[in-house]
Amino acid sequence: MSAEDLPETQRPRRGILFLLSGPAGSGKSTLLRRALNEDNNLAFSISCTTRSPREGETDGKHYHFLSDEEFSEKIENNEFLEHAKVHNWRYGTLAKTVIDLLDDGKDVIMDIDVQGADQVRDSENSVISDTLVDIFLTTADTAELEKRLLGRGSEDEDTFQLRMRTAVAEIKRWRDYTYCIVSGEHDEDFRALSSIISTERLRVSRMMS
């Protein structure tokens, strides 16, 4: 095969579904914001949640804020790719939104917990299973997580203790993922995530999908 033949072997590809999990305090939100700001072909999967908006959050941009009744209705209609209860609130990802983006060739990044990640891996939809790349972001130890959570100062004591208990359990799940980033300086974390995204985009199998 000559170099001239190479473009003819490549068809418009389906997008890649990047799934990012990690305990509270690992730095997921900051990392995602930078990746989305610097990568024009990366779209964020906006989750649904039953919690109230925090200061500065906008419905339809940061989350789809739903009532318990609305959330339950979507479960009954099988509209969620995944859903879970986290820190006393319910979160879920709409399957159609993700699949439509992937079919259009857009890479999608999801920020979901380990419960949701299990459901995505178990999806029977071939679009999801064929495009999934799962990544775990964590600190080297729980002491660093505790330091970061305390530094945010956004939770009361009960919420903080709940987040720490959840974090300890979640960290143990890092082996279930294809990639694991041990969080350090932000620039280092971003280089690691960017490297994973670039590597997956260069797979020949994706160019020919």
Side-chain angles (χ1 to χ4, degrees):
M1 181 177 70
S2 67
E4 291 78 8
D5 294 328
L6 182 59
E8 297 179 11
T9 69
Q10 299 180 11
R11 298 187 291 274
R13 70 168 176 86
R14 178 173 282 153
I16 305 169
L17 177 57
F18 294 101
L19 186 159
L20 184 63
S21 297
S26 60
K28 296 192 306 299
S29 297
T30 302
L31 196 57
L32 282 173
R33 281 196 299 270
R34 181 170 177 183
L36 290 164
N37 285 337
E38 299 191 19
D39 193 324
N40 292 329
N41 198 50
L42 195 62
F44 180 59
S45 172
I46 302 173
S47 299
C48 300
T49 183
T50 58
R51 73 162 173 78
S52 300
R54 293 171 182 161
E55 184 177 355
E57 289 183 334
T58 304
D59 183 52
K61 179 180 180 181
H62 300 93
Y63 285 95
H64 298 296
F65 295 99
L66 306 178
S67 67
D68 277 318
E69 292 76 14
E70 290 171 326
F71 199 99
S72 295
E73 183 177 347
K74 291 187 181 299
I75 292 176
E76 292 173 6
N77 293 333
N78 294 316
E79 295 182 49
F80 286 124
L81 173 59
E82 58 81 29
H83 64 90
K85 189 171 185 178
V86 184
H87 308 311
N88 298 323
W89 305 109
R90 299 160 81 185
Y91 293 83
T93 303
L94 296 171
K96 186 179 186 304
T97 301
V98 174
I99 292 170
D100 286 350
L101 285 167
L102 294 171
D103 281 340
D104 286 342
K106 196 78 171 179
D107 295 334
V108 179
I109 191 162
M110 298 175 62
D111 173 9
I112 58 176
D113 74 314
V114 295
Q115 300 176 63
D118 288 339
Q119 294 177 51
V120 176
R121 292 190 196 98
D122 291 340
S123 174
E124 296 180 357
N125 189 295
S126 60
V127 175
I128 299 300
S129 58
D130 291 348
T131 62
L132 178 62
V133 177
D134 49 357
I135 308 163
F136 194 78
L137 177 68
T138 184
T139 55
D141 52 46
T142 54
E144 176 61 21
L145 275 180
E146 183 174 5
K147 176 183 175 182
R148 293 186 183 187
L149 283 175
L150 286 171
R152 295 198 309 199
S154 58
E155 290 96 9
D156 57 31
E157 181 62 23
D158 288 343
T159 302
F160 169 75
Q161 292 300 332
L162 175 60
R163 286 189 181 277
M164 282 305 303
R165 289 194 298 271
T166 302
V168 170
E170 287 180 337
I171 287 175
K172 297 176 182 178
R173 296 291 306 279
W174 68 272
R175 293 180 180 85
D176 297 333
Y177 290 73
T178 305
Y179 297 96
C180 180
I181 301 173
V182 179
S183 179
E185 295 297 325
H186 174 66
D187 285 346
E188 296 174 356
D189 296 353
F190 181 70
R191 283 194 294 270
L193 178 62
S194 298
S195 177
I196 293 169
I197 292 172
S198 297
T199 297
E200 291 295 332
R201 285 173 173 169
L202 291 172
R203 288 185 183 272
V204 171
S205 59
R206 299 197 190 283
M207 296 176 182
M208 301 176 64
S209 62

